[in-house]
Amino acid sequence: MCGRYQFTAVENESIRRILQAVEQQYGPGAWQPGEVFPSAPAPVLIQTESGVAARLALWGFPGGQRGLIINARAETAEQRPMFRELVASGRCVVPTSGFYEWDAARHKYLFRLPGSEAVYLAGLWEQTEEEAHFTILTTAPNASVSDVHDRMPLVLPPKAVRPWLSDEAAARRLLHAEPPPLHSTAESGQLRMW
């Protein structure tokens, strides 16, 4: 499960460019970087006719009695009525500077991708008449995360961002790919490497 992530522009050129694109579209100060919580607006990357673009969307699909749906299982998204069409034509990338998970003892860890200034998460999005919403796809944890949590976001290697957005066949393969190795930092500052 992914229930919180970080989007900070400091020392992160990729994230800074995305923030600039959001400000160009929505105006300066329209959105502030920081820790992102469910139901909050945040930038997502989508494929448009003119290329990849940044949009603001609310994290979570309205789920009626089930509440806000902030995550979708990558393994079953193609079969679920709520997500099936979005896998075909509503894919997005959630740019982050890292995501958080908590272990059973409620210790908080920040996960990042070694050698990359951004962590890109596979997501699904939908524009309604009122607003846009997105959800983050999750998958079984790799060795980097399994000691902390039994699920993790579907992390896309940087080279997979464009295929995820623009190539449906490649995206369907990526739904079942193992995410790349990550490193984590405990809130206390202790570094764990795998």
Side-chain angles (χ1 to χ4, degrees), residues 47 87-88 91 161-174:
Q47 183 70 42
V87 169
R91 297 180 307 279
V161 168
R162 285 192 186 274
W164 171 259
L165 291 174
S166 62
D167 183 338
E168 184 180 346
R172 290 184 186 278
R173 288 191 298 274
L174 287 165

Side-chain angles (χ1 to χ4, degrees), residues 80-100:
R80 300 275 182 192
M82 181 174 200
F83 304 121
R84 185 172 37 232
E85 288 183 23
L86 297 177
V87 169
S89 59
R91 297 180 307 279
C92 69
V93 170
V94 183
T96 79
S97 45
F99 67 89
Y100 295 104

